[in-house]
Every structure is written in C-alpha cells, then in structure tokens.
C-alpha cells in the first residue's frame, strides 16, 4: 500500500550497516532490556530493526541480535524460512524481527547441528538445541505474535534469543571437540 511503500522507501534511504561486536566485547555478555510495547513504533526502534536487517544481509548472516550491534535491547532479526504461523503453511523469506521473544520448547527432542555467529567470526561448532519450539514476541508493529518453529528456524531463534541473555553458542556446546575454523569446516565437515 502507498503509505507503507513510501515509508519503506524513506527508511531504506537512511538504513545503515552497523559494526558487529566480536566475542570479548562486554555487550555480548550483558542481559538486554525488554522494549516497552509503546516504544516499538518509535523511529529509533524501527530504524534499529532496519539496520539489523541491513547489517545481517551485508554479512550474509541468518540472524542478528541487537547486542551484536552494541544495543542492549531485546530484539533480533532472523531468516525464519518454513516457520509455521497461524496458517500452518505460512512460509516467509524476508527476515523477521522478533521483540521480547519468549521461547517454550515443544517436546523433549534435542538435535545437535552446526552453528556459527557473526560475533565469533570464522568458527563453527556443533550445538544441541530443542528441535521444536514455540516463541511469543511482539512484531515490529507492536502486535503480539506466536510462532511455532522446528529444526533450522528453531535453531536460529534459540541462538538469537541467547544473545539477548548474554549467551554465545560456545556456551551451549556439549564439548569443544567439534570446534572448527571455517576453512577446516569447509574442507572436512560440509556434506555435499
Ligand atoms: Zn550469534
């Protein structure tokens, strides 16, 4: 619609690629603060969401949380393909912002798979995560949403929500045995 289109255009004109905090920066170990619902539509929060998306895309990430760009607020953006929305078959490819997310695991299934992180560059490791989750959050309009996700998108949501609590994927590894530099990961561990 016209109003939305012109707003998007305006935003894209002022979007910025932000500097990503690397492991060791204290902001990555600090619990982020909830965003008040009334603040969600403010230009500052809308701009933050746009910048998170632009920064994530620039660095080929699949998720980026506000603490990773030195902002201690509970919001992240993620590529959550194949998540199940209210319509069950809903599929999205645009990065979705989630504000004040709260995760509830569904079932006891834990799966271990590879993860990386823009704040821990060129490292991969295997991390156990709940296979299926439910997440309650606000969307960027301040509406309450609830999403069910499994496998990859569920992993992204758990990884990014951890950032809001000062947790890095390394903390979640059962053992450091699979810790791998990206070159060696590509050489020995990518299945094709
Ligand atoms: Zn990360």
């Amino acid at each position: 619609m016209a109003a939305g289109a012109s707003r998007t255009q305006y935003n894209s004109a002022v979007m910025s690629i932000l500097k990503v905090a690397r492991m060791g920066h204290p902001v990555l170990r600090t619990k982020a603060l909830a965003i008040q619902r009334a603040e969600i539509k403010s230009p500052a929060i809308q701009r933050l969401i746009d910048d998170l998306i632009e920064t994530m895309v620039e660095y080929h990430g699949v998720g980026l949380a506000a603490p990773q760009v030195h902002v201690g607020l509970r919001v992240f953006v993620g590529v959550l393909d194949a998540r199940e929305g209210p319509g069950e078959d809903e599929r999205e490819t645009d990065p979705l912002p989630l504000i004040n997310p709260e995760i509830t695991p569904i079932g006891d299934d834990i799966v271990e798979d590879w993860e990386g992180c823009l704040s821990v560059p060129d490292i991969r490791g295997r991390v156990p995560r709940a296979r299926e989750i439910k997440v309650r959050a606000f969307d960027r309009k301040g509406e309450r949403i609830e999403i069910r996700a499994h496998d990859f998108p569920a992993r992204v949501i758990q990884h990014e929500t951890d950032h809001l609590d000062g947790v890095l994927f390394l903390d979640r590894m059962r053992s450091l045995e699979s810790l791998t530099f990206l070159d060696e990961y590509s050489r020995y561990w990518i299945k094709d």
Side-chain angles (χ1 to χ4, degrees), residues 27-55:
V27 73
L28 295 173
R29 293 305 196 176
T30 306
K31 198 171 159 67
L33 299 173
I35 298 175
Q36 297 305 307
R37 191 174 190 173
E39 290 297 309
I40 292 174
K41 286 186 173 172
S42 70
I45 297 297
Q46 293 296 312
R47 168 88 191 261
L48 171 63
I49 290 168
D50 288 336
D51 289 349
L52 280 168
I53 292 171
E54 191 172 26
T55 304

PDB file of all heavy atoms in Angstrom, residues 27-55:
ATOM      1  N   VAL A  27      29.368  -6.172  25.779  1.00  0.00           N
ATOM      2  CA  VAL A  27      27.945  -6.066  25.415  1.00  0.00           C
ATOM      3  C   VAL A  27      27.368  -7.442  25.068  1.00  0.00           C
ATOM      4  O   VAL A  27      26.170  -7.685  25.250  1.00  0.00           O
ATOM      5  CB  VAL A  27      27.744  -5.060  24.247  1.00  0.00           C
ATOM      6  CG1 VAL A  27      28.239  -5.624  22.915  1.00  0.00           C
ATOM      7  CG2 VAL A  27      26.290  -4.612  24.141  1.00  0.00           C
ATOM      8  N   LEU A  28      28.228  -8.348  24.609  1.00  0.00           N
ATOM      9  CA  LEU A  28      27.759  -9.690  24.232  1.00  0.00           C
ATOM     10  C   LEU A  28      27.494 -10.565  25.452  1.00  0.00           C
ATOM     11  O   LEU A  28      26.938 -11.653  25.332  1.00  0.00           O
ATOM     12  CB  LEU A  28      28.780 -10.380  23.329  1.00  0.00           C
ATOM     13  CG  LEU A  28      29.000  -9.739  21.955  1.00  0.00           C
ATOM     14  CD1 LEU A  28      30.150 -10.411  21.241  1.00  0.00           C
ATOM     15  CD2 LEU A  28      27.722  -9.819  21.117  1.00  0.00           C
ATOM     16  N   ARG A  29      27.929 -10.092  26.617  1.00  0.00           N
ATOM     17  CA  ARG A  29      27.755 -10.866  27.850  1.00  0.00           C
ATOM     18  C   ARG A  29      26.793 -10.184  28.817  1.00  0.00           C
ATOM     19  O   ARG A  29      26.720 -10.533  29.993  1.00  0.00           O
ATOM     20  CB  ARG A  29      29.127 -11.070  28.514  1.00  0.00           C
ATOM     21  CG  ARG A  29      30.063 -11.973  27.696  1.00  0.00           C
ATOM     22  CD  ARG A  29      29.394 -13.291  27.415  1.00  0.00           C
ATOM     23  NE  ARG A  29      30.312 -14.339  26.966  1.00  0.00           N
ATOM     24  CZ  ARG A  29      29.935 -15.585  26.733  1.00  0.00           C
ATOM     25  NH1 ARG A  29      28.663 -15.931  26.884  1.00  0.00           N
ATOM     26  NH2 ARG A  29      30.781 -16.490  26.320  1.00  0.00           N
ATOM     27  N   THR A  30      26.069  -9.193  28.311  1.00  0.00           N
ATOM     28  CA  THR A  30      25.156  -8.416  29.150  1.00  0.00           C
ATOM     29  C   THR A  30      23.722  -8.738  28.782  1.00  0.00           C
ATOM     30  O   THR A  30      23.393  -8.824  27.592  1.00  0.00           O
ATOM     31  CB  THR A  30      25.421  -6.905  28.928  1.00  0.00           C
ATOM     32  OG1 THR A  30      26.808  -6.649  29.161  1.00  0.00           O
ATOM     33  CG2 THR A  30      24.591  -6.060  29.869  1.00  0.00           C
ATOM     34  N   LYS A  31      22.884  -8.955  29.813  1.00  0.00           N
ATOM     35  CA  LYS A  31      21.474  -9.243  29.551  1.00  0.00           C
ATOM     36  C   LYS A  31      20.810  -7.989  28.992  1.00  0.00           C
ATOM     37  O   LYS A  31      20.932  -6.903  29.563  1.00  0.00           O
ATOM     38  CB  LYS A  31      20.807  -9.669  30.858  1.00  0.00           C
ATOM     39  CG  LYS A  31      19.485 -10.390  30.670  1.00  0.00           C
ATOM     40  CD  LYS A  31      19.030 -10.966  32.026  1.00  0.00           C
ATOM     41  CE  LYS A  31      17.534 -11.239  32.032  1.00  0.00           C
ATOM     42  NZ  LYS A  31      17.111 -12.315  31.137  1.00  0.00           N
ATOM     43  N   ALA A  32      20.124  -8.135  27.866  1.00  0.00           N
ATOM     44  CA  ALA A  32      19.486  -6.983  27.218  1.00  0.00           C
ATOM     45  C   ALA A  32      18.147  -6.660  27.893  1.00  0.00           C
ATOM     46  O   ALA A  32      17.529  -7.528  28.519  1.00  0.00           O
ATOM     47  CB  ALA A  32      19.274  -7.288  25.733  1.00  0.00           C
ATOM     48  N   LEU A  33      17.714  -5.423  27.734  1.00  0.00           N
ATOM     49  CA  LEU A  33      16.486  -4.947  28.373  1.00  0.00           C
ATOM     50  C   LEU A  33      15.282  -5.103  27.443  1.00  0.00           C
ATOM     51  O   LEU A  33      15.400  -4.911  26.222  1.00  0.00           O
ATOM     52  CB  LEU A  33      16.618  -3.470  28.737  1.00  0.00           C
ATOM     53  CG  LEU A  33      17.735  -3.122  29.727  1.00  0.00           C
ATOM     54  CD1 LEU A  33      17.857  -1.608  29.871  1.00  0.00           C
ATOM     55  CD2 LEU A  33      17.464  -3.777  31.083  1.00  0.00           C
ATOM     56  N   ALA A  34      14.125  -5.411  28.034  1.00  0.00           N
ATOM     57  CA  ALA A  34      12.883  -5.503  27.258  1.00  0.00           C
ATOM     58  C   ALA A  34      12.553  -4.140  26.650  1.00  0.00           C
ATOM     59  O   ALA A  34      12.891  -3.096  27.212  1.00  0.00           O
ATOM     60  CB  ALA A  34      11.744  -5.963  28.162  1.00  0.00           C
ATOM     61  N   ILE A  35      11.909  -4.178  25.502  1.00  0.00           N
ATOM     62  CA  ILE A  35      11.443  -2.953  24.848  1.00  0.00           C
ATOM     63  C   ILE A  35       9.978  -2.759  25.237  1.00  0.00           C
ATOM     64  O   ILE A  35       9.170  -3.690  25.111  1.00  0.00           O
ATOM     65  CB  ILE A  35      11.589  -3.066  23.313  1.00  0.00           C
ATOM     66  CG1 ILE A  35      13.074  -3.249  22.945  1.00  0.00           C
ATOM     67  CG2 ILE A  35      11.002  -1.838  22.622  1.00  0.00           C
ATOM     68  CD1 ILE A  35      13.321  -3.483  21.459  1.00  0.00           C
ATOM     69  N   GLN A  36       9.641  -1.566  25.722  1.00  0.00           N
ATOM     70  CA  GLN A  36       8.251  -1.285  26.066  1.00  0.00           C
ATOM     71  C   GLN A  36       7.414  -1.309  24.789  1.00  0.00           C
ATOM     72  O   GLN A  36       7.838  -0.798  23.752  1.00  0.00           O
ATOM     73  CB  GLN A  36       8.133   0.092  26.731  1.00  0.00           C
ATOM     74  CG  GLN A  36       8.883   0.207  28.054  1.00  0.00           C
ATOM     75  CD  GLN A  36       8.482  -0.857  29.060  1.00  0.00           C
ATOM     76  OE1 GLN A  36       7.290  -1.019  29.356  1.00  0.00           O
ATOM     77  NE2 GLN A  36       9.443  -1.621  29.565  1.00  0.00           N
ATOM     78  N   ARG A  37       6.218  -1.886  24.922  1.00  0.00           N
ATOM     79  CA  ARG A  37       5.367  -2.021  23.738  1.00  0.00           C
ATOM     80  C   ARG A  37       5.142  -0.669  23.054  1.00  0.00           C
ATOM     81  O   ARG A  37       5.149  -0.567  21.830  1.00  0.00           O
ATOM     82  CB  ARG A  37       4.027  -2.635  24.137  1.00  0.00           C
ATOM     83  CG  ARG A  37       3.196  -3.045  22.961  1.00  0.00           C
ATOM     84  CD  ARG A  37       1.955  -3.782  23.415  1.00  0.00           C
ATOM     85  NE  ARG A  37       1.278  -4.372  22.273  1.00  0.00           N
ATOM     86  CZ  ARG A  37       0.241  -5.191  22.396  1.00  0.00           C
ATOM     87  NH1 ARG A  37      -0.220  -5.509  23.581  1.00  0.00           N
ATOM     88  NH2 ARG A  37      -0.331  -5.683  21.309  1.00  0.00           N
ATOM     89  N   ALA A  38       4.944   0.391  23.858  1.00  0.00           N
ATOM     90  CA  ALA A  38       4.662   1.723  23.300  1.00  0.00           C
ATOM     91  C   ALA A  38       5.852   2.281  22.518  1.00  0.00           C
ATOM     92  O   ALA A  38       5.690   3.193  21.711  1.00  0.00           O
ATOM     93  CB  ALA A  38       4.277   2.680  24.427  1.00  0.00           C
ATOM     94  N   GLU A  39       7.044   1.730  22.783  1.00  0.00           N
ATOM     95  CA  GLU A  39       8.252   2.232  22.110  1.00  0.00           C
ATOM     96  C   GLU A  39       8.484   1.592  20.748  1.00  0.00           C
ATOM     97  O   GLU A  39       9.310   2.055  19.961  1.00  0.00           O
ATOM     98  CB  GLU A  39       9.485   1.940  22.978  1.00  0.00           C
ATOM     99  CG  GLU A  39       9.560   2.773  24.244  1.00  0.00           C
ATOM    100  CD  GLU A  39       9.672   4.252  23.922  1.00  0.00           C
ATOM    101  OE1 GLU A  39      10.546   4.612  23.120  1.00  0.00           O
ATOM    102  OE2 GLU A  39       8.853   5.023  24.444  1.00  0.00           O
ATOM    103  N   ILE A  40       7.786   0.475  20.500  1.00  0.00           N
ATOM    104  CA  ILE A  40       8.127  -0.330  19.316  1.00  0.00           C
ATOM    105  C   ILE A  40       7.981   0.469  18.031  1.00  0.00           C
ATOM    106  O   ILE A  40       8.797   0.349  17.120  1.00  0.00           O
ATOM    107  CB  ILE A  40       7.281  -1.630  19.288  1.00  0.00           C
ATOM    108  CG1 ILE A  40       7.711  -2.529  20.458  1.00  0.00           C
ATOM    109  CG2 ILE A  40       7.437  -2.360  17.950  1.00  0.00           C
ATOM    110  CD1 ILE A  40       6.870  -3.767  20.650  1.00  0.00           C
ATOM    111  N   LYS A  41       6.936   1.313  17.962  1.00  0.00           N
ATOM    112  CA  LYS A  41       6.706   2.063  16.721  1.00  0.00           C
ATOM    113  C   LYS A  41       7.552   3.340  16.638  1.00  0.00           C
ATOM    114  O   LYS A  41       7.454   4.081  15.664  1.00  0.00           O
ATOM    115  CB  LYS A  41       5.225   2.410  16.582  1.00  0.00           C
ATOM    116  CG  LYS A  41       4.375   1.194  16.201  1.00  0.00           C
ATOM    117  CD  LYS A  41       2.947   1.611  15.936  1.00  0.00           C
ATOM    118  CE  LYS A  41       2.116   0.455  15.402  1.00  0.00           C
ATOM    119  NZ  LYS A  41       0.685   0.822  15.331  1.00  0.00           N
ATOM    120  N   SER A  42       8.362   3.600  17.638  1.00  0.00           N
ATOM    121  CA  SER A  42       9.182   4.821  17.613  1.00  0.00           C
ATOM    122  C   SER A  42      10.193   4.740  16.479  1.00  0.00           C
ATOM    123  O   SER A  42      10.639   3.650  16.102  1.00  0.00           O
ATOM    124  CB  SER A  42       9.898   5.002  18.947  1.00  0.00           C
ATOM    125  OG  SER A  42      10.913   4.010  19.075  1.00  0.00           O
ATOM    126  N   PRO A  43      10.565   5.899  15.915  1.00  0.00           N
ATOM    127  CA  PRO A  43      11.546   5.891  14.829  1.00  0.00           C
ATOM    128  C   PRO A  43      12.853   5.203  15.239  1.00  0.00           C
ATOM    129  O   PRO A  43      13.471   4.522  14.433  1.00  0.00           O
ATOM    130  CB  PRO A  43      11.773   7.382  14.539  1.00  0.00           C
ATOM    131  CG  PRO A  43      10.520   8.060  15.020  1.00  0.00           C
ATOM    132  CD  PRO A  43      10.039   7.257  16.187  1.00  0.00           C
ATOM    133  N   ALA A  44      13.250   5.341  16.504  1.00  0.00           N
ATOM    134  CA  ALA A  44      14.525   4.751  16.936  1.00  0.00           C
ATOM    135  C   ALA A  44      14.488   3.229  16.836  1.00  0.00           C
ATOM    136  O   ALA A  44      15.437   2.603  16.348  1.00  0.00           O
ATOM    137  CB  ALA A  44      14.847   5.190  18.364  1.00  0.00           C
ATOM    138  N   ILE A  45      13.389   2.618  17.296  1.00  0.00           N
ATOM    139  CA  ILE A  45      13.295   1.155  17.255  1.00  0.00           C
ATOM    140  C   ILE A  45      13.102   0.669  15.813  1.00  0.00           C
ATOM    141  O   ILE A  45      13.699  -0.330  15.385  1.00  0.00           O
ATOM    142  CB  ILE A  45      12.152   0.652  18.160  1.00  0.00           C
ATOM    143  CG1 ILE A  45      12.434   1.025  19.626  1.00  0.00           C
ATOM    144  CG2 ILE A  45      11.952  -0.862  18.012  1.00  0.00           C
ATOM    145  CD1 ILE A  45      13.677   0.402  20.227  1.00  0.00           C
ATOM    146  N   GLN A  46      12.288   1.382  15.042  1.00  0.00           N
ATOM    147  CA  GLN A  46      12.076   0.990  13.639  1.00  0.00           C
ATOM    148  C   GLN A  46      13.390   1.063  12.865  1.00  0.00           C
ATOM    149  O   GLN A  46      13.709   0.204  12.053  1.00  0.00           O
ATOM    150  CB  GLN A  46      11.012   1.887  12.993  1.00  0.00           C
ATOM    151  CG  GLN A  46       9.611   1.699  13.582  1.00  0.00           C
ATOM    152  CD  GLN A  46       9.057   0.291  13.330  1.00  0.00           C
ATOM    153  OE1 GLN A  46       9.107  -0.218  12.213  1.00  0.00           O
ATOM    154  NE2 GLN A  46       8.545  -0.348  14.368  1.00  0.00           N
ATOM    155  N   ARG A  47      14.148   2.100  13.144  1.00  0.00           N
ATOM    156  CA  ARG A  47      15.450   2.275  12.491  1.00  0.00           C
ATOM    157  C   ARG A  47      16.414   1.156  12.908  1.00  0.00           C
ATOM    158  O   ARG A  47      17.139   0.601  12.084  1.00  0.00           O
ATOM    159  CB  ARG A  47      16.006   3.646  12.889  1.00  0.00           C
ATOM    160  CG  ARG A  47      17.461   3.886  12.545  1.00  0.00           C
ATOM    161  CD  ARG A  47      17.585   4.442  11.139  1.00  0.00           C
ATOM    162  NE  ARG A  47      18.967   4.439  10.686  1.00  0.00           N
ATOM    163  CZ  ARG A  47      19.767   5.487  10.694  1.00  0.00           C
ATOM    164  NH1 ARG A  47      19.329   6.643  11.149  1.00  0.00           N
ATOM    165  NH2 ARG A  47      20.998   5.404  10.251  1.00  0.00           N
ATOM    166  N   LEU A  48      16.390   0.830  14.213  1.00  0.00           N
ATOM    167  CA  LEU A  48      17.251  -0.258  14.704  1.00  0.00           C
ATOM    168  C   LEU A  48      16.930  -1.557  13.965  1.00  0.00           C
ATOM    169  O   LEU A  48      17.844  -2.280  13.542  1.00  0.00           O
ATOM    170  CB  LEU A  48      17.061  -0.424  16.219  1.00  0.00           C
ATOM    171  CG  LEU A  48      17.720  -1.660  16.856  1.00  0.00           C
ATOM    172  CD1 LEU A  48      19.242  -1.614  16.711  1.00  0.00           C
ATOM    173  CD2 LEU A  48      17.338  -1.769  18.344  1.00  0.00           C
ATOM    174  N   ILE A  49      15.646  -1.851  13.801  1.00  0.00           N
ATOM    175  CA  ILE A  49      15.237  -3.081  13.116  1.00  0.00           C
ATOM    176  C   ILE A  49      15.733  -3.062  11.661  1.00  0.00           C
ATOM    177  O   ILE A  49      16.291  -4.048  11.166  1.00  0.00           O
ATOM    178  CB  ILE A  49      13.705  -3.261  13.191  1.00  0.00           C
ATOM    179  CG1 ILE A  49      13.292  -3.592  14.638  1.00  0.00           C
ATOM    180  CG2 ILE A  49      13.229  -4.346  12.217  1.00  0.00           C
ATOM    181  CD1 ILE A  49      11.791  -3.512  14.895  1.00  0.00           C
ATOM    182  N   ASP A  50      15.546  -1.939  10.983  1.00  0.00           N
ATOM    183  CA  ASP A  50      16.015  -1.837   9.591  1.00  0.00           C
ATOM    184  C   ASP A  50      17.533  -2.021   9.515  1.00  0.00           C
ATOM    185  O   ASP A  50      18.040  -2.694   8.613  1.00  0.00           O
ATOM    186  CB  ASP A  50      15.642  -0.469   8.999  1.00  0.00           C
ATOM    187  CG  ASP A  50      14.149  -0.348   8.735  1.00  0.00           C
ATOM    188  OD1 ASP A  50      13.489  -1.387   8.571  1.00  0.00           O
ATOM    189  OD2 ASP A  50      13.648   0.792   8.686  1.00  0.00           O
ATOM    190  N   ASP A  51      18.241  -1.422  10.463  1.00  0.00           N
ATOM    191  CA  ASP A  51      19.706  -1.522  10.446  1.00  0.00           C
ATOM    192  C   ASP A  51      20.172  -2.942  10.759  1.00  0.00           C
ATOM    193  O   ASP A  51      21.161  -3.420  10.191  1.00  0.00           O
ATOM    194  CB  ASP A  51      20.313  -0.536  11.448  1.00  0.00           C
ATOM    195  CG  ASP A  51      20.171   0.909  10.981  1.00  0.00           C
ATOM    196  OD1 ASP A  51      19.804   1.124   9.808  1.00  0.00           O
ATOM    197  OD2 ASP A  51      20.425   1.826  11.793  1.00  0.00           O
ATOM    198  N   LEU A  52      19.451  -3.618  11.664  1.00  0.00           N
ATOM    199  CA  LEU A  52      19.787  -5.023  11.966  1.00  0.00           C
ATOM    200  C   LEU A  52      19.647  -5.863  10.701  1.00  0.00           C
ATOM    201  O   LEU A  52      20.499  -6.699  10.391  1.00  0.00           O
ATOM    202  CB  LEU A  52      18.875  -5.572  13.067  1.00  0.00           C
ATOM    203  CG  LEU A  52      19.216  -5.203  14.510  1.00  0.00           C
ATOM    204  CD1 LEU A  52      18.061  -5.586  15.444  1.00  0.00           C
ATOM    205  CD2 LEU A  52      20.509  -5.874  14.969  1.00  0.00           C
ATOM    206  N   ILE A  53      18.548  -5.632   9.970  1.00  0.00           N
ATOM    207  CA  ILE A  53      18.318  -6.405   8.742  1.00  0.00           C
ATOM    208  C   ILE A  53      19.418  -6.105   7.728  1.00  0.00           C
ATOM    209  O   ILE A  53      20.020  -7.021   7.156  1.00  0.00           O
ATOM    210  CB  ILE A  53      16.924  -6.095   8.153  1.00  0.00           C
ATOM    211  CG1 ILE A  53      15.827  -6.648   9.080  1.00  0.00           C
ATOM    212  CG2 ILE A  53      16.789  -6.690   6.738  1.00  0.00           C
ATOM    213  CD1 ILE A  53      14.411  -6.225   8.715  1.00  0.00           C
ATOM    214  N   GLU A  54      19.710  -4.806   7.534  1.00  0.00           N
ATOM    215  CA  GLU A  54      20.707  -4.465   6.524  1.00  0.00           C
ATOM    216  C   GLU A  54      22.095  -5.011   6.889  1.00  0.00           C
ATOM    217  O   GLU A  54      22.829  -5.509   6.036  1.00  0.00           O
ATOM    218  CB  GLU A  54      20.781  -2.944   6.314  1.00  0.00           C
ATOM    219  CG  GLU A  54      21.608  -2.633   5.083  1.00  0.00           C
ATOM    220  CD  GLU A  54      21.583  -1.173   4.666  1.00  0.00           C
ATOM    221  OE1 GLU A  54      21.366  -0.308   5.526  1.00  0.00           O
ATOM    222  OE2 GLU A  54      21.812  -0.924   3.478  1.00  0.00           O
ATOM    223  N   THR A  55      22.417  -4.947   8.175  1.00  0.00           N
ATOM    224  CA  THR A  55      23.728  -5.434   8.631  1.00  0.00           C
ATOM    225  C   THR A  55      23.803  -6.953   8.484  1.00  0.00           C
ATOM    226  O   THR A  55      24.816  -7.497   8.021  1.00  0.00           O
ATOM    227  CB  THR A  55      23.964  -5.005  10.103  1.00  0.00           C
ATOM    228  OG1 THR A  55      23.844  -3.587  10.187  1.00  0.00           O
ATOM    229  CG2 THR A  55      25.331  -5.436  10.582  1.00  0.00           C
TER     230      THR A  55
END
